[in-house]
C-alpha cells in the first residue's frame, strides 16, 4: 500500500510542477524567458565540458560491453524471441522522436555549419567549409545522438525482462538502493526523469509545430506565426488520442510503418532527382572524415577561442539528446525484449548513425551542392532566418516540388503524432508504478501537459521560438546526465554479477552438448567392433548352453545304456547260478 501512495505522489508532484510551469508561461512569458536564458548560460558555462565528456565515455562503455562476453546475454529469458521485426524495430526508434530532428535539421544544419563553421576548423575555401558543415551535422546526429537513450534502454530492458522490475527509471538503481527504490530517493529519481523528459519532448513538439507551420505558410496562404504553431499543437494532441486508444502494438506500430514508407519515398526521390553522384561522393567523404575526426570533435571545446559555437550547437544537441533519453530509452526497452545485448547496442547505436549519414548527406549534401557548385543561395538565406523552411526550399529545386512538399508535411505530421503517442505512453507508465499498458487518461493528461509546455515555450521565446526550445532541452539534460552516470555504474554491477551465473549455465549446456557429441561419435566409431564382440560373446554363451544341453542328453543316454548293461549282466549271472 505504501508503494501505491508514493507512486501517486510521483504523479501529483510531477504534474503539479508542469502545471505551475505552464501557468508561469501563460501569466508572465517574458519572466519565464529571462529565467530560462539565465539557466541556459549557467549550464553551458559550468557544465558544457561535462556534456562533452560524459557522452564520449558512454560510447566507449557501450562498445566495450558489445564486444565483451556480456554481449551474448539476452534481454529477457534465454528462450525469448524479439517481439518486432528488425526493420519495424528500427523504424519505431525514429518515430519515437528523433525522426523529427532528422527532418527539421536535415537541410538547415549542414548549411548553417557551412556559413558559420566551428572556429577550431581551418577552413580555407567554400568547398572545405561545406565538407566541415556536413561532417558536424552527421556528428551531431550520429553515435552521440543515440548513446544516452541506449544507456537507458539497455539497463531498463535488462531489469524489466531479466529481473522483473517495473518500467521506472528508479528500477535501474536497485543494485545500489535496494528497497530504497520504492522510497523517497527512488521516486525523486523518477520525478527528475519525468520533468527532464517533458522538456525534451516539448522541444520535439515545438520543432514539429515550427516546421509544419513553416511548410504550410510556404505552400499556402496560412501565416507562419506562433498562434498557427499553437493551433497545430492542439490539432496533433487531438489526433494522437485516437492512436493512443489503439495501444503500442496497433497505433504506434501502424504509424511507424507509414513513417518508414514516407521517409523512404522522400529519401529515394532526393537521391534520384537531386545531384546523385555528388550525394554518394558526399556520403563516402563524410564517412571517412567523421571516422577520422570523431575523437577530436568529441573532446574539443573553445577555452581559447572565446566563441560560443560549441555551446550554441553541440551542447544544445547533447542536452536535448540526454533530456529525452528516459523517454526514448524506456520506449526502446519496451520494444526490445528478446534481443541480445550485442544486437541491441549495434541496432540502437550503429544503424541509426548510418541512417543519419545517408539522410544528412542526401538532404544537406544536396543543399550544399546548390549553394557551392550552382551558386543558388536561396536555401542558405532561408536557413539563416527560418530554419523550418529549409526543407521546402530544397524540394523546390527538384521536380514535383508541390507534391514532395505535401509528402514532407505528412511525414512531419505523422512523426509529430507518433512522438506524442510514444511520449505520453512512457510518461503514463512512469507515473503509474511502471505499468506496461498505462491508463488512457494518464496518457491524455501528459499529452495535454506536454503540448501546453511546448506552447508556452514558443510564447516565451517571442519571435525566436527555437531559442526557447533549445534552452529547455539543454537545461533539462543536466539532471539526466547524472542519472545516466548512476545507470552505467548499476549496469556494470548487474552484468558482472549475472555473468558468472550466465557463464555457469553456458558451460553446463556446452558440457552436456559435448557429452552428447562424444557419445554419438563413440557410438559410430565403436558400434561395429562392439557388435562383433557381442556376437562372439553371444556365440560363446550359446556354445556353453548347447554344450550343457548335449551333456545332459549324453548323460541320459549313457545312464540308460549303463542300466541296460547292468540288467544284462545280472541276467547272465542268474543263469549261471541256476
Amino acid at each position: 500500500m505504501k508503494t501505491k501512495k508514493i507512486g501517486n505522489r510521483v504523479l501529483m508532484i510531477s504534474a503539479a510542477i508542469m502545471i505551475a510551469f505552464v501557468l508561469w508561461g501563460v501569466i508572465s512569458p517574458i519572466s519565464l524567458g529571462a529565467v530560462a536564458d539565465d539557466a541556459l548560460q549557467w549550464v553551458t558555462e559550468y557544465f558544457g565540458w561535462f556534456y562533452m565528456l560524459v557522452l564520449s565515455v558512454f560510447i566507449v562503455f557501450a562498445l566495450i560491453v558489445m564486444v565483451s562476453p556480456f554481449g551474448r546475454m539476452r534481454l529477457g529469458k534465454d528462450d525469448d524471441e524479439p517481439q518486432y521485426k528488425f526493420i519495424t524495430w528500427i523504424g519505431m526508434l525514429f518515430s519515437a522522436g528523433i525522426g523529427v530532428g532528422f527532418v527539421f535539421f536535415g537541410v538547415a544544419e549542414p548549411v548553417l555549419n557551412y556559413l558559420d563553421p566551428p572556429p577550431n576548423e581551418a577552413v580555407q575555401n567554400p568547398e572545405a567549409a561545406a565538407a566541415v558543415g556536413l561532417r558536424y551535422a552527421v556528428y551531431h546526429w550520429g553515435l552521440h545522438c543515440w548513446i544516452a537513450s541506449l544507456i537507458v534502454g539497455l539497463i531498463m530492458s535488462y531489469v524489466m525482462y531479466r529481473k522483473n522490475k517495473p518500467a521506472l527509471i528508479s528500477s535501474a538503481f536497485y543494485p545500489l538502493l535496494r528497497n530504497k527504490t520504492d522510497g523517497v530517493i527512488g521516486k525523486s529519481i523518477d520525478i527528475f526523469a519525468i520533468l527532464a523528459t517533458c522538456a525534451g519532448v516539448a522541444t520535439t513538439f515545438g520543432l514539429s509545430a515550427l516546421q509544419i507551420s513553416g511548410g504550410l505558410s510556404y505552400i499556402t496562404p496560412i501565416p507562419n506565426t506562433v498562434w498557427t504553431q499553437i493551433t497545430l499543437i492542439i490539432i496533433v494532441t487531438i489526433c494522437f488520442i485516437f492512436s493512443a486508444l489503439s495501444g503500442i502494438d496497433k497505433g504506434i506500430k501502424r504509424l511507424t510503418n507509414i513513417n518508414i514508407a514516407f521517409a523512404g519515398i522522400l529519401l529515394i526521390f532526393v537521391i534520384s532527382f537531386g545531384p546523385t553522384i555528388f550525394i554518394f561522393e558526399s556520403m563516402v567523404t563524410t564517412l571517412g572524415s567523421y571516422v577520422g575526426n570523431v575523437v577530436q570533435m568529441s573532446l574539443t571545446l573553445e577555452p581559447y577561442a572565446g566563441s560560443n559555437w560549441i555551446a550554441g550547437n553541440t551542447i544544445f544537441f547533447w542536452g536535448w539528446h540526454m533530456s529525452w533519453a528516459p523517454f526514448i530509452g524506456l520506449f526502446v526497452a519496451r520494444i526490445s525484449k528478446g534481443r541480445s545485448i550485442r544486437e541491441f547496442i549495434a541496432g540502437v547505436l550503429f544503424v541509426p548513425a548510418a541512417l543519419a549519414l545517408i539522410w544528412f548527406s542526401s538532404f544537406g549534401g544536396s543543399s550544399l551542392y546548390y549553394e557551392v557548385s550552382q551558386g543558388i543561395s536561396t536555401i542558405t538565406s532561408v536557413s539563416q532566418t527560418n530554419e523550418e523552411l529549409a526543407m521546402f526550399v530544397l524540394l523546390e529545386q527538384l521536380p514535383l516540388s508541390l507534391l514532395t512538399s505535401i509528402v514532407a508535411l505528412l511525414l512531419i505530421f505523422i512523426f509529430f503524432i507518433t512522438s506524442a503517442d510514444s511520449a505520453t505512453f512512457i510518461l503514463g507508465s512512469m507515473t503509474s508504478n511502471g505499468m506496461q499498458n498505462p491508463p488512457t487518461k494518464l496518457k491524455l493528461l501528459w499529452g495535454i501537459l506536454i503540448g501546453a509546455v511546448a506552447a508556452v515555450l514558443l510564447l516565451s521565446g517571442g519571435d525566436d521560438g527555437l531559442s526557447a526550445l533549445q534552452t529547455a532541452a539543454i537545461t533539462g539534460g543536466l539532471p539526466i546526465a547524472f542519472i545516466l552516470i548512476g545507470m552505467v555504474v548499476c549496469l556494470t554491477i548487474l552484468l558482472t554479477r549475472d555473468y558468472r551465473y550466465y557463464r555457469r549455465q553456458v558451460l553446463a549446456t556446452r558440457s552436456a552438448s559435448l557429452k552428447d557429441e562424444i557419445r554419438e561419435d563413440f557410438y559410430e566409431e565403436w558400434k561395429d567392433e562392439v557388435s562383433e564382440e557381442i556376437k562372439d560373446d553371444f556365440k560363446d554363451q550359446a556354445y556353453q548352453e548347447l554344450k550343457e544341453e548335449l551333456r545332459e542328453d549324453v548323460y541320459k543316454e549313457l545312464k540308460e545304456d549303463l542300466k541296460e548293461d547292468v540288467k544284462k549282466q545280472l541276467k547272465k549271472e542268474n543263469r549261471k547260478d541256476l
Side-chain angles (χ1 to χ4, degrees), residues 18-31:
M18 297 311 301
I19 291 171
F21 183 86
V22 171
L23 292 175
W24 183 10
V26 172
I27 296 171
S28 181
I30 297 176
S31 171

Side-chain angles (χ1 to χ4, degrees), residues 99 200 369 473 480 496:
Y369 170 82
I480 298 302
T496 304

Side-chain angles (χ1 to χ4, degrees), residues 265 280 292 296 341 369 386 458 475 485 489 561:
I265 290 171
F280 286 120
Q296 178 185 350
I341 290 177
Y369 170 82
N386 299 96
L458 292 172
T475 54
I485 292 173
V489 174
D561 292 339

Side-chain angles (χ1 to χ4, degrees), residues 379-448:
I379 300 174
T380 55
S381 60
V382 169
S383 298
Q384 288 178 295
T385 55
N386 299 96
E387 292 180 50
E388 64 272 15
L389 298 179
M391 165 75 77
F392 303 98
V393 178
L394 170 65
L395 295 176
E396 197 176 47
Q397 314 303 317
L398 305 174
L400 305 173
S401 58
L402 179 59
L403 179 61
T404 54
S405 294
I406 293 173
V407 172
L409 281 173
L410 290 173
L411 175 63
I412 301 164
F413 188 75
I414 298 173
F415 266 137
F416 198 169
I417 296 174
T418 315
S419 299
D421 195 351
S422 53
T424 53
F425 180 92
I426 293 303
L427 286 168
S429 178
M430 293 170 71
T431 51
S432 61
N433 290 313
M435 290 180 62
Q436 291 286 335
N437 293 295
T440 302
K441 60 183 180 181
L442 272 184
K443 293 190 283 186
L444 297 180
L445 169 65
W446 286 112
I448 294 170

Side-chain angles (χ1 to χ4, degrees), residues 483-548:
I483 290 176
L484 289 171
I485 292 173
M487 284 184 161
V488 168
V489 174
C490 292
L491 181 60
T492 303
I493 294 172
L494 284 173
L495 291 177
T496 304
R497 182 188 301 162
D498 291 354
Y499 182 71
R500 299 190 188 101
Y501 174 73
Y502 171 79
R503 182 64 178 169
R504 285 197 296 269
Q505 281 188 317
V506 171
L507 290 175
T509 303
R510 288 182 178 178
S511 177
S513 176
L514 184 61
K515 287 180 180 178
D516 291 339
E517 291 179 4
I518 292 174
R519 188 179 293 111
E520 184 176 351
D521 293 341
F522 179 83
Y523 175 78
E524 293 295 331
E525 182 178 351
W526 292 95
K527 67 178 182 179
D528 294 335
E529 182 175 344
V530 171
S531 177
E532 292 298 327
E533 291 180 359
I534 290 174
K535 288 180 182 178
D536 292 341
D537 292 342
F538 177 77
K539 288 179 180 179
D540 292 342
Q541 183 178 358
Y543 174 75
Q544 294 296 331
E545 291 177 355
L546 180 62
K547 186 176 180 180
E548 292 296 328

Side-chain angles (χ1 to χ4, degrees), residues 221-384:
I222 297 175
N224 183 18
T225 65
V226 67
W227 295 108
T228 302
Q229 296 152 14
I230 292 174
T231 302
L232 287 168
I233 291 174
I234 295 172
I235 293 172
V236 169
T237 302
I238 295 172
C239 291
F240 103 85
I241 292 173
F242 296 98
S243 177
L245 294 174
S246 301
I248 191 171
D249 290 324
K250 293 183 179 179
I252 296 177
K253 183 179 178 180
R254 187 181 298 120
L255 290 175
T256 293
N257 292 331
I258 297 174
N259 276 341
I260 293 173
F262 277 145
I265 290 171
L266 203 59
L267 178 64
I268 293 172
F269 179 84
V270 171
I271 294 175
S272 301
F273 292 93
T276 306
I277 302 301
F278 182 87
I279 289 173
F280 286 120
E281 289 178 347
S282 295
M283 286 184 194
V284 176
T285 302
T286 304
L287 175 60
S289 180
Y290 174 74
V291 173
N293 293 276
V294 65
V295 175
Q296 178 185 350
M297 291 188 294
S298 303
L299 302 175
T300 296
L301 288 167
E302 303 161 327
Y304 309 110
S307 170
N308 292 321
W309 196 95
I310 296 293
N313 291 274
T314 304
I315 301 301
F316 158 63
F317 286 114
W318 286 188
W320 187 20
H321 300 334
M322 283 192 284
S323 68
W324 65 18
F327 144 53
I328 294 185
L330 275 169
F331 183 77
V332 171
R334 175 66 176 78
I335 62 176
S336 299
K337 181 179 180 181
R339 300 192 182 276
S340 69
I341 290 177
R342 184 167 295 142
E343 180 185 11
F344 180 91
I345 294 175
V348 177
L349 193 60
F350 290 107
V351 175
L355 293 176
L357 172 69
I358 296 171
W359 185 275
F360 280 86
S361 296
S362 300
F363 287 86
S366 296
S367 61
L368 291 170
Y369 170 82
Y370 291 120
E371 166 68 26
V372 178
S373 300
Q374 302 297 311
I376 301 174
S377 59
T378 309
I379 300 174
T380 55
S381 60
V382 169
S383 298
Q384 288 178 295

Side-chain angles (χ1 to χ4, degrees), residues 95-169:
S95 299
I98 294 182
V100 171
F102 273 52
V103 178
F104 189 93
F105 292 102
V107 174
E109 189 187 350
V111 170
L112 292 175
N113 293 343
Y114 156 75
L115 295 173
D116 180 26
N120 58 290
E121 294 286 344
V123 177
Q124 304 296 333
N125 51 58
E127 291 76 13
V132 169
L134 187 54
R135 187 221 307 162
Y136 265 85
V138 173
Y139 164 57
H140 289 154
W141 293 93
L143 301 177
H144 290 74
C145 171
W146 301 90
I147 189 60
S149 299
L150 182 149
I151 295 296
V152 176
L154 180 57
I155 189 169
M156 289 309 304
S157 52
Y158 193 89
V159 299
M160 286 165 57
Y161 302 126
R162 289 188 73 94
K163 303 298 180 182
N164 298 318
K165 297 293 181 181
L168 299 171
I169 296 298

